[in-house]
Each structure stands twice: as C-alpha cells, then as structure tokens.
Amino acid sequence: MKYRILGRGLKVSAVGLGCMGMSHAYGAPSDRREMINLIAQAVELGCTFFDTAEVYGFAENPHDNEELVGEALKPYRDRVVIGTKFGNRFDYDSGTNPLPLSFDSRPETIRRSIEGSLRRLQTDHIDLYYQHRQDLKIPVEEVAGVMSDLMREGKILHWGLSEVDDKIIRRAHAVCPVAAVQNRYSMPARHYEEIFPTLEELGIGLVAFSPLANGLLSMAYDKNSTFDKMSDYRSVMPQFTPEAMERNKNLFELLRRTAEEKSATPAQISLAWMICKKPWIVPIPGTRKLTRLKENLGAADVELTAEEVSALDEALNAMDMSAIFGVATSDH
C-alpha cells in the first residue's frame, strides 16, 4: 500500500474504506460480524483510513455505523486514522427514499456530537472530524472556532469540510487550518475540480466520496439491475436507469479499454485516475465484499502517467454521460 499526506501531517493510505454502506443507503445492513471481519482484513491489507459518520445507520439504530467501526478498529486503534462527521440528521419518520436531511452545527450540538462519537468509536480522539454539510444558520467561522477548541482539548487532531466550494474553504481555513475536504468526485462528477487550485494553494487534501459513482464504475450493474425501493438509494439514482446505462456506454468502453491496457479492472482505473492526478487526492470507496475490497485497495498500485491521466480527462471532456446522484445536472 502507498500512503499520502492530508493537510498538515495526516498520513493515510492512498485508498481508504468508506464504511457507510455497511449500515446505510445500500439495502438492509450487513451482518455485523462479517463487516467487523471485513474491516479487520482491510487493516491487514494496508488500509489505514476509515470513514464513517454519526448519522450512518437505520431507524432502529441511527448510529450503527460508528458503533460498528469502533468495535472493528479497537484492536488496531494505534495503526489507523478514523474520520467521522457531525451536523446532519436524517428524518426516519418520513418513509421516503432518500431520507430527508436537516442540518445543525450549533456549538452546543457539536459538543454533544463529539462526545457521542468518541463513545461509539471507543476512542479518546477523532483523527479527522468533518462538518458533514453546511448549516446556513451558523457561519463556518464559528464552526472553525469550535474545531480549534476541540483540537486544544485533544478531542480531535484534524478537521475537515464536506461538499463545499472554495469560498467556504477559505473562510474556514483562515480561522482553523483545514486538513481535508470530502466532496463527491468521480469520472462522471468532476465539477469540484474547480476547487483544486485552492486546495493546492492551502495544502488541503481531497477525500473523494462516491469515487465509483455509487458503484456504477465497477461495471457490476446493467440495465436489468434492480434495487430495494425503500432501503437502497440506488433505486432512485439516475445513473442506474436503463436509459443512463445506454447513455454511459462510451464511458464503460473507455474504462474497459484502459483496464485491458493496464492489466487492471475498470474500478481500479477509475480510482487510479484520481490517485495519479494529484498527490493529495484519496478516494474512499465502500464495499461489503472482500473481493471488491482487495480490488479497490489494489488501485493504489496501478500506475498512470501524467499523459495518460490527461488523455483520460480529454476523453471524458468530450463524452456525453448521464446525470449522477448528488449532481444537479450532467457536467457535459
């Protein structure tokens, strides 16, 4: 496994593990013991970066994922970096899919959240603590001030933001240096490349969530794939419709062709493309399967030259693609 630095000295594996899907958004939660074993295997394979949030769970246990990650990583705590998030709440009473979100980043709420996360994760500190989404009622400078206090108290080591633009990043960083920004980023969702100059200037890492476009780029699905309408967000994601599968055929062909040239898989090419683009980008694909875990982590060993990355960018720029979940319109 290769490693890289986020912000001011946060060393992580070049590919992390997003743990959300083990408890939330991708169908019924997986068997707890199986997921604990999978996380342990990720550690043994060299993964040191694990991502969760206080809201990843389900109606009966809204905080399930932090509890799962905490139990799984307790034996390895001194070898791993744990990232978690505050500031979101799901409305489990809505009966809709996806669940409606509300935002709360008041200082007193953050204080309650950090204590809950520390308890569930069975640790005395959070390595990377993100504001999950912006709370428009609370200036980001006020949130950054709380983060600075939590650092002084030793409860967090670094902090970050999620789904933000360069204006928010600069305002926050001016109060308390930001280590990482976790934004949606993948081959079909490249709108956040506009913040790359800011991240480079300020020395901030990009943690790419949904780097495989919610699994689309693994090419494990086709126009006949179906998902549970109440528990699986993919059932309402635009990229999984039969029409989108047809529209994305050129993207799939590009991935197939490049994977064959590099003796890799399409998923590995999708991840290597961003890893090789910048030394401060770290994707955090999620999975519930050991075969996929090994495949994803193996992307760190796939070498793409700057010319090859540029050629992929040019092909993507010229390509028609479907809309992607979480992106208002297609980038093309």
Side-chain angles (χ1 to χ4, degrees):
M1 178 56 69
K2 296 173 183 175
Y3 299 88
R4 38 192 48 188
I5 301 297
L6 300 175
R8 299 182 178 181
L10 183 60
K11 184 179 179 181
V12 297
S13 50
V15 179
L17 178 59
C19 299
M20 178 190 78
M22 299 175 183
S23 305
H24 176 79
Y26 289 91
S30 293
D31 178 82
R32 189 178 191 84
R33 183 48 51 187
E34 288 181 9
M35 294 301 97
I36 288 173
N37 289 338
L38 184 67
I39 291 171
Q41 287 173 305
V43 176
E44 296 305 323
L45 289 167
C47 180
T48 65
F49 190 27
F50 296 84
D51 185 83
T52 182
E54 65 174 343
V55 292
Y56 295 160
F58 44 92
E60 293 76 18
N61 186 4
H63 306 299
D64 179 76
N65 201 241
E66 280 193 333
E67 293 175 355
L68 167 65
V69 170
E71 183 177 350
L73 291 179
K74 188 175 182 180
Y76 312 102
R77 186 63 186 97
D78 60 345
R79 295 167 54 183
V80 299
V81 169
I82 298 175
T84 192
K85 312 176 194 78
F86 66 89
N88 276 7
R89 289 290 182 274
F90 286 119
D91 180 3
Y92 285 103
D93 296 325
S94 68
T96 61
N97 180 27
L99 294 166
L101 272 173
S102 60
F103 311 106
D104 184 356
S105 286
R106 291 173 295 173
E108 60 269 27
T109 302
I110 297 173
R111 286 285 178 179
R112 286 195 300 271
S113 291
I114 187 68
E115 296 304 330
S117 291
L118 290 170
R119 183 177 65 255
R120 290 185 291 269
L121 290 166
Q122 302 186 51
T123 185
D124 62 357
H125 71 277
I126 305 297
D127 300 289
L128 181 53
Y129 200 41
Y130 299 97
Q131 184 184 23
H132 207 154
R133 294 291 185 273
Q134 288 298 292
D135 179 350
L136 298 180
K137 298 185 294 295
I138 307 295
V140 73
E141 291 86 352
E142 187 172 350
V143 174
V146 178
M147 296 301 104
S148 183
D149 291 341
L150 293 177
M151 286 182 187
R152 280 194 295 271
E153 295 165 22
K155 293 182 178 180
I156 69 173
L157 301 185
H158 304 267
W159 84 290
L161 301 156
S162 184
E163 289 288 80
V164 289
D165 61 22
D166 56 352
K167 294 183 181 63
I168 293 293
I169 295 167
R170 288 183 182 280
R171 286 170 52 191
H173 191 78
V175 176
C176 183
V178 174
V181 169
Q182 185 177 138
N183 282 1
R184 183 183 302 277
Y185 185 53
S186 65
M187 284 183 161
R190 296 170 59 201
H191 51 297
Y192 280 123
E193 288 183 357
E194 65 186 20
I195 70 170
F196 282 12
T198 298
L199 298 180
E200 201 136 43
E201 174 193 339
L202 300 179
I204 297 171
L206 176 71
V207 176
F209 79 85
S210 297
L212 299 177
N214 307 100
L216 179 76
L217 304 184
S218 69
M219 293 175 55
Y221 307 99
D222 60 27
K223 63 182 180 180
N224 299 311
S225 298
T226 59
F227 307 96
D228 182 78
K229 292 188 181 302
M230 288 310 299
S231 64
D232 196 322
Y233 283 17
R234 288 170 295 187
S235 65
V236 295
M237 290 182 181
Q239 67 264 40
F240 290 105
T241 65
E243 296 78 15
M245 289 293 180
E246 177 66 21
R247 191 173 173 185
N248 290 324
K249 63 183 180 181
N250 290 334
L251 172 60
F252 299 150
E253 179 55 32
L254 176 66
L255 286 171
R256 282 193 196 97
R257 186 172 65 249
T258 310
E260 186 173 332
E261 292 170 358
K262 290 292 182 178
S263 300
T265 68
Q268 288 176 331
I269 296 300
S270 303
L271 299 173
W273 163 78
M274 64 178 71
I275 293 169
C276 296
K277 188 185 289 271
K278 298 289 184 181
W280 37 262
I281 296 179
V282 178
I284 50 167
T287 187
R288 304 182 185 199
K289 299 176 181 178
L290 180 59
T291 54
R292 286 289 181 195
L293 175 68
K294 290 180 177 178
E295 178 183 358
N296 292 342
L297 295 179
D301 295 321
V302 177
E303 295 285 350
L304 296 175
T305 66
E307 291 75 20
E308 287 169 332
V309 171
S310 180
L312 287 170
D313 283 346
E314 289 180 13
L316 295 170
N317 288 339
M319 196 174 288
D320 180 56
M321 301 183 209
S322 75
I324 296 294
F325 181 70
V327 181
T329 58
S330 174
D331 294 328
H332 305 279

